[in-house]
Amino acid sequence: PAYIGRVFVLKIGKDVLRRAQEVGLVQNISQLRAHGIRIVVMHAVRDFNPKDWPGLEGKGVKCGIDNREGIDSEIAAGTIPFVYCGRDQEFRSDFIAAELAVSLKADKLIYLTDTEVLGPDGAILHQVTMDTAKSLLGFLQGHMREKMESAILALKGGVKRIHIVNVGEEDALLGELLTSEGVGTMVYEKTYFAMGFAKTG
């Protein structure tokens, strides 16, 4: 309930986008929308058609942060903007996603990938503070380093939580967002504590 009306930006890699039905990602996104969360999907696949994802009402939107008007209008209409960042900008699409999340004042920026964030000991890092993320930059390589760098930028811009999720397992997105430990990596600036009210019975 705390996220009703909030914005989640989902950055989806090429391979993940093409396997979205297979790994249950489309159904996961549909469930989040059903609970009143406003979803923005960003990708770098030129020929992707939102109609390929049945059950989700979405519309393709060109560019990223440069087309805020188009993105805002789709959010206001209750549809999902599928933002194409452009082939010439694909190499920095993680950073564009971070800029877009900051611009939209998103609560969460979620990178959906096919790999995990592993620490120096080879174990999955489930929770990473911003200071720890900075220290990992010398260890991480390739796309994962770019995701961590962009996560730091998003945190500095006001995005509260960044999640990096391997969607190899079914329902991984919901598993990350709706369980205490999660299945991926959450990057945050400050530890968050909240109290809920229990019901008897």
Side-chain angles (χ1 to χ4, degrees):
Y3 293 119
I4 293 175
R6 304 293 180 88
V7 175
F8 289 7
V9 174
L10 276 57
K11 164 61 172 55
I12 307 182
K14 280 184 177 181
D15 293 338
V16 172
L17 193 74
R18 295 189 174 107
R19 293 190 300 115
Q21 295 278 17
E22 174 189 336
V23 298
L25 182 57
V26 176
Q27 295 87 342
N28 284 187
I29 293 173
S30 179
Q31 287 176 284
L32 293 177
R33 282 196 70 227
H35 288 286
I37 297 169
R38 298 180 174 188
I39 303 292
V40 177
V41 173
M42 184 177 164
H43 65 92
V45 179
R46 188 173 190 174
D47 59 351
F48 175 74
N49 186 344
K51 293 181 180 179
D52 293 338
W53 285 12
L56 285 180
E57 187 178 356
K59 183 176 180 182
V61 179
K62 293 182 179 179
C63 304
I65 193 171
D66 298 330
N67 190 19
R68 271 296 306 277
E69 183 178 344
I71 296 169
D72 288 340
S73 66
E74 293 305 315
I75 294 174
T79 58
I80 296 178
F82 286 83
V83 184
Y84 172 59
C85 69
R87 184 173 295 177
D88 59 331
Q89 295 180 313
E90 184 179 344
F91 70 97
R92 62 180 305 270
S93 58
D94 289 338
F95 295 97
I96 296 173
E99 293 169 2
L100 181 60
V102 170
S103 177
L104 292 170
K105 294 181 172 58
D107 263 57
K108 292 184 181 291
L109 167 61
I110 305 168
Y111 292 105
L112 299 169
T113 74
D114 53 6
T115 56
E116 288 101 2
V117 181
L118 303 178
D121 61 354
I124 297 176
L125 298 173
H126 286 292
Q127 295 190 19
V128 176
T129 64
M130 186 160 66
D131 288 340
T132 303
K134 291 176 181 176
S135 69
L136 287 169
L137 295 180
F139 168 75
L140 298 174
Q141 297 180 347
H143 294 302
M144 197 54 70
R145 178 190 168 96
E146 293 170 6
K147 284 177 173 52
M148 196 62 72
E149 286 181 328
S150 60
I152 293 169
L153 290 175
L155 287 173
K156 290 181 177 178
V159 180
K160 295 177 181 178
R161 297 284 187 271
I162 291 82
H163 300 263
I164 303 173
V165 184
N166 179 357
V167 295
E169 295 184 13
E170 190 173 355
D171 294 330
L173 177 58
L174 295 184
E176 171 65 11
L177 298 180
L178 302 181
T179 62
S180 297
E181 185 178 81
V183 299
T185 300
M186 180 177 72
V187 189
Y188 59 96
E189 182 178 8
K190 297 178 181 178
T191 303
Y192 174 75
F193 296 96
M195 294 185 67
F197 293 95
K199 293 183 179 180
T200 59

